[in-house]
Amino acid sequence: MHPFASLRSRIDQWFVSRRAPSDTLELTQRNVYILPTRAGWMLAATLLVLLVGSINYQLNLGYLLTFLLAGCVAVGMHVCHGTLRGLAMRLMPPEPQYAGSAAVFRIVLTNARRSTRYGIGFAVHRSGQWSWSDVPAQGSATVEVAFKPERRGLHAVPTLTAETRFPLGTFRVWTIWRPASQVLVYPAPEPNPPPLPEAEPLDGPSAAMSMRAHIAGEYDGVRPYRRGDSLKLVVWKRAAQAQAAGSDELVSRDTLQAQRSQLWLDTQHAGLSDAEARLSRICAWVLMADHLGVDYGLRAGGRTVQPSQGEAHKRQCLEALALC
């Protein structure tokens, strides 16, 4: 381990904590920093040797070469700093992800000046995995940065770094950015979950309400398509997904004489002792029930989501599992 790693980490945390969280950032001379790279230090040492040799041997052409190269370095430093200075950055709202999969952050770069900005890289701070882009003159570009959260829950977007070494690579110009957004991480679905649990029977007023729902045209469960089924009973969402996968499978909603049961996904009935494993199984069941197009409810961590279906209902259930 590097002997100064602990001190460097403390200084880094102090430096990052001084940045105010924000989803937009405009780079100015106050938040853009510059230092020579290793190539820059080697070039400086070379110029020093050339200068000492020219003084020692009174070489006029040596002076010319030394100061010509030094002038190029000075111009390169100015251009490198100007590549980031004046750039506007905006973080797009991050989409929820599943634990163990990469969350992708999209950053919009806006360039107001009349020249193109070349070789701008973005990465999670200290990750070393860069995404590079050029920003056209008086235009914008989008950069995608990946981050892999290991646990479910609500996570702050990690600190980001933007840098450039254009045009000579002798200077590194960078900035530190602390976004204010948060990313929601769902539990990782179980790879091979068991079939959906059996629906729970209804009794009393709930059964009467269920009967009225059936009369109004609501259904529970699905079954393979049978010749003669009404087109209104076909689950067209499932048919579209099957067609996209290269299958012609059709399923119909199963109309019962009286609907007397509801499908509840309960963490207490997942059949596993580990809490995270239970959430992973329930997550897989939520995706399975949504794929089948059936009504389902959720009970997890004291929270209850009433039975329904659709994309909004699926997101509500997954959010409840993530924050359980």
Side-chain angles (χ1 to χ4, degrees), residues 106-121:
R106 292 176 174 84
I107 304 166
V108 179
L109 310 178
T110 304
N111 178 19
R113 73 182 189 185
R114 298 182 180 179
S115 58
T116 303
R117 300 174 186 264
Y118 296 98
I120 299 176

Side-chain angles (χ1 to χ4, degrees), residues 286-308:
V286 167
L287 299 180
M288 187 185 303
D290 179 74
H291 181 71
L292 293 174
V294 299
D295 288 359
Y296 60 95
L298 176 71
R299 299 190 188 106
R303 300 183 61 178
T304 301
V305 181
Q306 293 301 321
S308 184

Side-chain angles (χ1 to χ4, degrees), residues 40-159:
W41 288 115
M42 289 298 297
L43 179 58
T46 303
L47 291 177
L48 180 61
V49 171
L50 287 175
L51 180 61
V52 171
S54 300
I55 293 174
N56 187 48
Y57 294 102
Q58 294 296 310
L59 298 176
N60 292 331
L61 291 178
Y63 287 126
L64 178 62
L65 178 61
T66 302
F67 290 113
L68 180 63
L69 291 177
C72 293
V73 171
V75 172
M77 179 178 65
H78 175 74
V79 172
C80 190
H81 192 269
T83 301
L84 278 190
R85 189 181 65 249
L87 187 68
M89 306 186 299
R90 176 170 59 91
L91 178 68
M92 303 295 290
E95 292 290 332
Q97 299 293 333
Y98 295 95
S101 61
V104 178
F105 307 128
R106 292 176 174 84
I107 304 166
V108 179
L109 310 178
T110 304
N111 178 19
R113 73 182 189 185
R114 298 182 180 179
S115 58
T116 303
R117 300 174 186 264
Y118 296 98
I120 299 176
F122 276 85
V124 175
H125 190 51
R126 299 297 184 191
S127 70
Q129 300 178 354
W130 295 91
S131 298
W132 299 91
S133 178
D134 300 332
V135 187
Q138 295 183 333
S140 62
T142 301
V143 180
E144 294 184 350
V145 179
F147 165 67
K148 188 175 181 180
E150 297 296 336
R151 297 179 295 103
R152 64 177 176 87
L154 194 61
H155 298 267
V157 174
T159 303

Side-chain angles (χ1 to χ4, degrees), residues 196-202 220-221 259-264 295:
L196 290 172
E198 300 232 351
E200 298 181 6
L202 295 176
D220 76 328
Q259 184 182 12
R260 298 183 181 274
S261 61
Q262 283 183 335
L263 175 60
W264 284 95
D295 288 359

